[in-house]
Amino acid sequence: AQSVTQLGSHVSVSEGALVLLRCNYSSSVPPYLFWYVQYPNQGLQLLLKYTTGATLVKGINGFEAEFKKSETSFHLTKPSAHMSDAAEYFCAVSHRNQAGTALIFGKGTTLSVSS
Amino acid sequence: GAVVSQHPSRVICKSGTSVKIECRSLDFQATTMFWYRQFPKQSLMLMATSNEGSKATYEQGVEKDKFLINHASLTLSTLTVTSAHPEDSSFYICSASRTGGETQYFGPGTRLLVL
């Protein structure tokens, strides 16, 4: 069975500082991994995904994540935080059931950015 | 792009009534659609997976007679909350994926409040 653990329910950074959001996964099969962002009262927007190939994945808004199989991790980073990055971030792993491939989400990390 | 819409965005209903939520893929055909539920400050929990033309696959603990899902076409899935009660109040989010695709595209969500 697949699962996702996001370390730190809340991360606070200053504008311009490095953003690091941690995600560890558990999967019995090669995982597909995703990071989504959610703004208040909105749906989820895909930031980036890893399926196969290059382990360093670049996404939108300057975010990137690196798949490390040995560490079962898929941490999300951004070199310089912007005020508009304040949101809820979810890491997810694909989960194949009888009907299709759904997503198993972590509990989310709230990112706060201060000026 | 891949756009998914939900209607309504917000609904308030009386206890005992039924509420239908629509999920549409606007610019692509979605073989598979997913319904999630999100409580305040929590992650998304998969409720069910629906494939066009077949019965939905429900996750453990989700009452299929209470949460009726219909996926009548490649662009539309509906979730009907039957005999709604206050504990059904939540944020319901759908997602859709293309045939053979691993990426899910999320709708903006529907906030249900049952009085």
Side-chain angles (χ1 to χ4, degrees):
Chain A
Q2 288 88 354
S3 66
V4 174
T5 302
Q6 289 183 241
L7 298 176
S9 60
H10 199 151
V11 171
S12 296
V13 299
S14 300
E15 192 173 21
L18 170 72
V19 175
L20 171 60
L21 304 183
R22 300 179 186 273
C23 172
N24 288 88
Y25 70 91
S26 172
S27 178
S28 56
V29 298
Y32 288 179
L33 296 159
F34 305 81
W35 274 100
Y36 284 88
V37 60
Q38 184 181 33
Y39 296 98
N41 296 310
Q42 295 186 28
L44 275 68
Q45 180 181 9
L46 179 67
L47 279 177
L48 49 80
K49 64 179 179 181
Y50 168 79
T51 52
T52 58
T55 57
L56 181 61
V57 181
K58 294 185 183 299
I60 62 172
N61 301 340
F63 285 94
E64 61 182 37
E66 186 171 11
F67 170 62
K68 293 186 176 181
K69 184 178 179 180
S70 61
E71 299 177 7
T72 61
S73 69
F74 191 57
H75 302 330
L76 181 71
T77 60
K78 181 174 181 177
S80 177
H82 192 272
M83 297 293 286
S84 60
D85 295 325
E88 188 80 11
Y89 291 80
F90 292 97
C91 181
V93 64
S94 57
H95 163 68
R96 180 166 290 278
N97 59 27
Q98 293 177 353
T101 302
L103 292 174
I104 302 299
F105 286 89
K107 292 189 175 183
T109 298
T110 301
L111 175 65
S112 299
V113 182
S114 58
S115 57
Chain B
V3 181
V4 176
S5 70
Q6 279 184 245
H7 178 80
S9 58
R10 182 187 297 263
V11 57
I12 301 173
C13 69
K14 292 182 179 180
S15 184
T17 60
S18 294
V19 175
K20 179 185 284 188
I21 302 170
E22 292 185 349
C23 176
R24 293 181 184 273
S25 57
L26 299 184
D27 53 0
F28 67 100
Q29 292 188 330
T31 307
T32 307
M33 287 185 168
F34 305 87
W35 288 95
Y36 295 84
R37 183 174 181 177
Q38 185 180 31
F39 290 104
K41 304 294 184 182
Q42 295 189 29
S43 188
L44 282 75
M45 300 298 295
L46 178 65
M47 298 175 66
T49 303
S50 73
N51 286 293
E52 185 265 338
S54 62
K55 290 183 178 180
T57 300
Y58 290 82
E59 295 298 300
Q60 194 171 10
V62 177
E63 299 176 59
K64 60 182 65 178
D65 293 332
K66 180 166 187 61
F67 298 99
L68 301 178
I69 292 173
N70 184 282
H71 193 160
S73 77
L74 286 172
T75 59
L76 174 64
S77 176
T78 60
L79 167 67
T80 301
V81 183
T82 62
S83 186
H85 288 94
E87 58 264 30
D88 298 324
S89 300
S90 190
F91 195 49
Y92 293 87
I93 305 177
C94 74
S95 70
S97 60
R98 293 186 172 95
T99 303
E102 293 291 347
T103 299
Q104 290 185 32
Y105 301 96
F106 284 80
T110 296
R111 186 161 301 283
L112 170 64
L113 177 61
V114 184
L115 302 177

